[in-house]
Amino acid sequence: MATLKDIAAKGSPLAGGHRMCAGCGIPIVVKLVLNASPEPVVVVTATGCLEVASSIFPYSAWRVPWMHSAFENTAATAAGIESAIRALEKKGALAQRINVVAFGGDGGTYDIGLQALSGALERGHRFVYVCYNNEAYMNTGIQRSSATPLFSSTTTSPAGRVIPGKMQPRKRLTEIVAAHPVKYAAQASMGNWKDLYTKAEKAFRIDGPAFLNVYTSCVPGWNYPEHESVEMARLASDTCFWPLYEIEDGRVRVTYKPREKKPVEEFLKRQRRFRHLFTEANRGLINKIQEAVDEEWERLLSLDKSGLKVF
Amino acid sequence: MSAQVKRQMLALTGNETIALAMKQIHPDVVAAYPITPSTTVMEKFAEYVANGEVQTELVTVESEHSAMSACIGAATCGVRVMTATSSQGFALMWEMLYVAASLRLPLVMAVVNRALNSNLNIHCDHSDSMGGRDAGWIQLYSEDAQEVYDNLIQAVRIAEHPDVFLPVMVMSDGFYVSHSVFNVTPLSDEEVREFIGTQPRSPYNFLDISNPITVGPVDLPDYYMEHKRLQAEAYYHAKRVVKEIGEEFGKRFGRSYGYFETYGLEDAELVIVIAGTAAGTTRYVVEQLRREGRKVGMLKMRVFRPFPQEEICAALQNAKAVAVLDRSDSFGAFAGPMYTEIRSALYEASSKPKLINRIYGLGGRDLRLSMHMRFFHNLRHCWKVVAMLNATIIWA
């Protein structure tokens, strides 16, 4: 296992000076994932925070080949690149193996890009898809996505006098991906670098599609002090609000079990998107979230324990 | 000349012809999604792949949007890429058509023209490709299977020309061409290889790890317009290159191509402008009428983008009256898309012919001989009438 020093010594594929917000979790995810690749990488990115903040012409923060073409088609664009690589490999025209990595936010992955992602997964292209999941459309001003958690307040699911934020739970995308099936799909977090790096290393070893759903804190979207980004992401896993697990060859393995499972309230209370829950009237909603988190956590643990090939 | 001997005439449908051209072009990557009437192109091509007759990576995507996206991804890697589509598929690609052109990717796409929803209609008109006329692709229209074939082979050269580096779409009429059997004389495999070259040319290579590039960045008001201006210049070059390659093709293989084909235009007083298969009927009517001593003619559009305005103007300015037949409408505009462009081109003419527009053949409605006769009759009439603006556009 590489130490943080080892990883840092590899240099950064992303140069400083990009325009991502102070405290943004995305660069951490990008650097950790790309540095886990033993081979050179080429990167495709969906329209979104990472894209707009890293590539404002005439500057580019990318030290690796990087491409953006549109919002909903990142997996399809990656599939095209991977097919070109295959074609060149067949001709013996490629000097070395190149890994294709796609980055999309939860908007570009859970929602508008899901069809293209599903198609690319089913066809079995050899690429690593990374969803930097900050649980809403942050680039366009914090609108709800299907990754937005229950009762979260966003600009299109605002907590109002009648409706307390988003009324639907988030989609279980990692399992949807696993059900294609793919050999490797995992939930990771920017708050747990070792777990993320290990999963990225595994993903790059897969001869086919691999998927990483990486929890990524967002300062303007969740609204907490910017120096607390890593802590926020850690809290999400320590409360089991964002469980860390992997699905390898159809078997679920929980990769992080907090020594002390903290109440979900500790995670929620530090963010403005859940502020409206902390009133006497909405007290019951926090309990509902806790119940849902507990149920999900128990479900994952039992899947893990069963050892069954569930996907 | 020895190569010519090897050529033989085959009986092929339009789509089989497209598939054969694709096989001979032998692209590195093809990404496509089936849609009537272009489906059999991909079926036939998939058969070539399955039988090992081509080594192409065939990406059977889940939508046309992904088809064009995958083509774009592949083309950035400097490999040869092709696809085919029709109608709704073309419409679904629309967003990515602009991206392909703006990234200056030398893709080649066969468009088998079909009407657009709603209501659903699988038959031919030009609404799909005309809807994409401003996306930045070079557009070549074809009358029959032989022209589709010749256009596709030339399209590779045009797209990959270093002064151009733009995607090219080659149109053929759904069912009229795609599902009808034609006599086609393809080139030999060697001739195609020699003409297009085995090494594809591309503006950049995304896979060059030691020289990493950023493709498709954010481009704000300080630079976006400069980039669009550079792109616009490519179409000036494209206009020259399309002609040069059409001539070269003619010299090598005996079938020359220009921006358009004319018939009887030298002395024609009444002219029909048309694109696609209906040109065949028009040619027949012109023949008949000329036999009767009428001074009529035809201009058949081949290159709609880049639009050859000076040449069109020169070719039509001596006519007394011109009917432009559009197989699509531009709803809310004052006429069909081809008419609008041609009328605009004629603004520079020293003497201007009278112009009428006819919207015809939508959703596969046949254009009959009797209708052509009526057009020429209308033309003769409008030539004599001074105020005719209100009657310029008629749905045939």
Side-chain angles (χ1 to χ4, degrees):
Chain A
M1 175 69 212
T3 64
L4 265 184
K5 264 188 189 169
D6 297 336
I7 300 169
K10 288 185 171 187
S12 175
L14 200 62
H18 56 70
R19 268 83 149 190
M20 272 164 277
C21 304
C24 176
I26 301 169
I28 298 176
V29 176
V30 172
K31 289 178 204 174
L32 279 170
V33 170
L34 294 185
N35 275 350
S37 170
E39 292 89 15
V41 292
V42 295
V43 177
V44 192
T45 299
T47 308
C49 290
L50 174 59
E51 174 255 337
V52 299
S54 67
S55 75
I56 305 173
F57 191 89
Y59 304 105
S60 173
W62 293 93
R63 293 191 175 117
V64 293
W66 178 87
M67 171 174 184
H68 159 258
S69 74
F71 190 11
E72 69 279 53
N73 64 347
T74 310
T77 310
I81 293 167
E82 190 262 359
S83 302
I85 288 174
R86 272 173 198 268
L88 291 168
E89 278 173 348
K90 254 191 314 207
K91 288 186 193 173
L94 213 57
Q96 58 193 326
R97 185 167 136 165
I98 295 172
N99 289 327
V100 182
V101 186
F103 287 102
D106 47 294
T109 309
Y110 277 66
D111 292 341
I112 202 167
L114 183 60
Q115 176 183 319
L117 174 62
S118 177
L121 296 174
E122 184 271 335
R123 293 191 300 273
H125 296 281
R126 191 179 172 280
F127 76 123
V128 176
Y129 191 103
V130 184
C131 172
Y132 60 91
N133 182 355
N134 50 26
E135 300 194 315
Y137 304 157
M138 300 312 189
N139 182 45
T140 45
I142 315 154
Q143 293 85 27
R144 80 169 315 263
S145 77
S146 62
T148 302
L150 186 66
F151 302 136
S152 179
S153 179
T154 72
T155 53
T156 52
S157 64
R161 278 189 296 276
V162 181
I163 304 169
K166 193 198 175 205
M167 296 305 285
Q168 302 81 15
R170 59 192 171 204
K171 198 188 275 178
R172 284 189 204 144
L173 184 69
T174 310
E175 290 171 75
I176 293 171
V177 167
H180 272 73
V182 299
K183 278 191 178 152
Y184 192 75
Q187 281 199 182
S189 166
M190 61 161 276
N192 192 332
W193 68 267
K194 211 175 246 182
D195 182 76
L196 170 58
Y197 192 82
T198 309
K199 285 171 179 169
E201 280 186 316
K202 271 191 182 178
F204 283 114
R205 283 200 295 268
I206 303 296
D207 187 20
F211 177 80
L212 301 173
N213 193 350
V214 188
Y215 209 60
T216 309
S217 311
C218 174
V219 177
W222 301 0
N223 214 294
Y224 57 83
E226 62 208 25
H227 63 276
E228 292 177 0
S229 281
V230 173
E231 205 181 325
M232 291 308 303
R234 265 188 207 152
L235 256 178
S237 298
D238 283 340
T239 55
C240 300
F241 188 83
W242 184 256
L244 305 181
Y245 65 93
E246 61 187 8
I247 304 169
E248 202 172 355
D249 288 322
R251 288 183 176 82
V252 177
R253 193 173 77 85
V254 175
T255 57
Y256 175 71
K257 291 171 191 163
R259 229 165 289 160
E260 175 212 354
K261 184 173 166 240
K262 292 179 177 161
V264 74
E265 194 177 325
E266 286 190 32
F267 175 63
L268 305 180
K269 71 181 177 194
R270 294 170 67 167
Q271 303 169 57
R272 196 169 62 187
R273 59 179 176 154
F274 296 114
R275 193 174 54 184
H276 60 287
L277 302 179
F278 292 86
T279 59
E280 220 30 68
N282 285 342
R283 193 66 219 176
L285 301 182
I286 297 178
N287 294 337
K288 275 192 180 167
I289 295 175
Q290 184 67 61
E291 279 165 26
V293 164
D294 292 346
E295 194 185 323
E296 173 71 355
W297 181 242
E298 290 307 321
R299 188 178 68 86
L300 286 168
L301 287 178
S302 68
L303 285 176
D304 181 332
K305 208 175 157 195
S306 77
L308 288 173
K309 197 172 160 84
V310 275
F311 292 100
Chain B
M1 283 298 112
S2 61
Q4 262 182 346
V5 178
K6 277 183 269 169
R7 278 187 233 147
Q8 52 173 327
M9 191 184 281
L10 303 173
L12 297 172
T13 67
N15 281 355
E16 285 167 352
T17 310
I18 293 171
L20 174 65
M22 288 174 73
K23 179 185 160 202
Q24 291 181 307
I25 291 165
H26 203 160
D28 299 290
V29 176
V30 166
Y33 189 79
I35 178 167
T36 305
S38 66
T39 305
T40 49
V41 172
M42 294 324 301
E43 288 178 351
K44 188 74 197 166
F45 193 76
E47 209 178 293
Y48 291 141
V49 174
N51 292 332
E53 293 180 66
V54 286
Q55 275 67 54
T56 304
E57 281 294 319
L58 177 61
V59 194
T60 47
V61 282
E62 82 299 331
S63 74
E64 289 87 354
H65 194 282
S66 284
M68 188 43 64
S69 300
C71 285
I72 287 168
T76 59
C77 302
V79 300
R80 213 164 249 161
V81 183
M82 291 184 80
T83 187
T85 196
S86 299
S87 182
Q88 301 306 117
F90 185 97
L92 188 54
M93 280 181 183
W94 197 82
E95 178 193 25
M96 301 319 295
L97 295 178
Y98 280 76
V99 176
S102 302
L103 293 180
R104 307 292 297 274
L105 298 173
L107 299 168
V108 174
M109 169 160 71
V111 178
V112 182
N113 286 108
R114 162 182 155 183
L116 290 171
N117 295 7
S118 192
N119 297 341
L120 189 147
N121 178 304
I122 58 167
H123 296 279
C124 174
D125 70 38
H126 297 160
S127 305
D128 46 7
S129 58
M130 278 298 170
R133 66 191 183 274
D134 293 336
W137 287 56
I138 291 168
Q139 290 200 329
L140 309 178
Y141 285 82
S142 331
E143 182 185 335
D144 55 25
Q146 185 68 61
E147 284 192 10
V148 184
Y149 178 87
D150 293 349
N151 280 336
L152 280 168
I153 305 293
Q154 291 174 62
V156 178
R157 281 283 304 279
I158 297 165
E160 291 181 9
H161 194 290
D163 292 343
V164 179
F165 283 139
L166 287 170
V168 181
M169 58 175 84
V170 173
M171 269 62 75
S172 55
D173 284 357
F175 293 104
Y176 293 111
V177 176
S178 62
H179 290 62
S180 306
V181 177
F182 291 81
N183 289 331
V184 183
T185 309
L187 309 179
S188 69
D189 292 354
E190 299 76 53
E191 282 174 317
V192 173
R193 259 201 299 275
E194 214 177 283
F195 188 73
I196 64 172
T198 46
Q199 198 57 42
R201 283 192 286 194
S202 67
Y204 44 83
N205 181 3
F206 188 61
L207 297 180
D208 188 352
I209 297 300
S210 45
N211 297 295
I213 55 166
T214 288
V215 180
V218 176
D219 212 1
L220 297 174
D222 49 354
Y223 284 100
Y224 183 84
M225 202 153 163
E226 274 69 14
H227 292 138
K228 288 293 130 185
R229 170 68 194 150
L230 283 170
Q231 188 184 341
E233 276 178 28
Y235 302 91
Y236 295 111
H237 298 304
K239 208 183 139 190
R240 187 195 80 238
V241 169
V242 167
K243 189 161 182 274
E244 283 171 4
I245 287 170
E247 283 164 3
E248 185 191 328
F249 191 87
K251 272 184 204 141
R252 287 169 82 153
F253 312 120
R255 294 188 294 266
S256 274
Y257 287 85
Y259 301 119
F260 44 79
E261 179 194 313
T262 61
Y263 182 56
L265 222 57
E266 307 72 36
D267 62 346
E269 292 173 339
L270 310 178
V271 178
I272 283 181
V273 178
I274 198 155
T277 42
T281 320
T282 313
R283 191 182 291 103
Y284 176 79
V285 172
V286 168
E287 262 169 26
Q288 298 294 312
L289 291 173
R290 287 188 79 86
R291 216 168 284 160
E292 291 170 21
R294 309 270 195 85
K295 290 184 172 175
V296 296
M298 174 184 78
L299 187 149
K300 181 183 85 183
M301 288 296 297
R302 174 184 179 239
V303 184
F304 191 68
R305 287 286 182 270
F307 189 76
Q309 73 275 9
E310 297 96 342
E311 293 78 5
I312 290 272
C313 180
L316 294 179
Q317 65 180 351
N318 295 324
K320 298 275 195 280
V322 176
V324 180
L325 273 52
D326 269 295
R327 200 159 201 155
S328 63
D329 199 359
S330 175
F331 294 113
F334 73 94
M338 218 158 66
Y339 176 88
T340 314
E341 302 262 350
I342 286 170
R343 179 164 143 141
S344 178
L346 283 166
Y347 188 79
E348 307 298 331
S350 46
S351 65
K352 294 182 185 61
K354 294 281 168 57
L355 279 171
I356 59 169
N357 187 208
R358 291 291 181 271
I359 308 290
Y360 78 100
L362 301 189
R365 177 80 51 93
D366 281 334
L367 183 59
R368 296 174 183 282
L369 291 175
S370 56
M371 291 155 91
H372 270 89
M373 293 297 185
R374 203 167 68 228
F375 294 153
F376 277 118
H377 178 77
N378 293 156
L379 272 179
R380 212 153 51 130
H381 176 70
C382 85
W383 163 28
K384 290 173 185 162
V385 178
V386 183
M388 48 158 281
L389 200 64
N390 291 337
T392 49
I393 309 128
I394 293 174
W395 282 43

